[in-house]
Amino acid sequence: RILPLVRVAMLFGLNGEKEKMVIIVKKHKIEVAIAVESVTSQQEVVIKPFRGALSNTKYLLGVAIMGEGELLPIIDVDEL
């Protein structure tokens, strides 16, 4: 099957030359292939939505706060 390819690095104006993997995301009946550099882990997270000035940030839904306090940006699949 052929899927649309979204290059995460290009969405955010970064160098995408290191993209080596593709993650297939399915929401409802729409599937998209997302090119990424690496996958470090897979886990369930609680998403904290952006508020205020960041609430209109394109392609990002919010962040997840990880165990060490680092912020993990969450891509808004509906925007892709």
Side-chain angles (χ1 to χ4, degrees):
R1 67 186 176 202
I2 299 173
L3 299 174
L5 177 65
V6 176
R7 296 186 174 277
V8 173
M10 293 180 86
L11 288 179
F12 299 106
L14 304 172
N15 182 356
E17 294 177 7
K18 296 181 182 178
E19 294 171 335
K20 298 176 184 162
M21 304 176 86
V22 173
I23 300 170
I24 297 176
V25 177
K26 182 175 183 178
K27 185 168 182 181
H28 305 294
K29 294 183 178 183
I30 298 173
E31 287 184 320
V32 176
I34 301 175
V36 297
E37 184 176 319
S38 67
V39 176
T40 56
S41 68
Q42 179 179 337
Q43 57 187 298
E44 291 186 29
V45 296
V46 175
I47 300 171
K48 299 286 187 182
F50 288 133
R51 299 186 194 277
L54 293 175
S55 64
N56 293 324
T57 304
K58 192 167 180 132
Y59 305 120
L60 291 179
L61 187 60
V63 296
I65 302 171
M66 307 309 286
E68 301 282 321
E70 65 243 351
L71 301 177
L72 178 68
I74 305 297
I75 294 174
D76 186 351
V77 177
D78 289 336
E79 289 286 325
L80 301 178

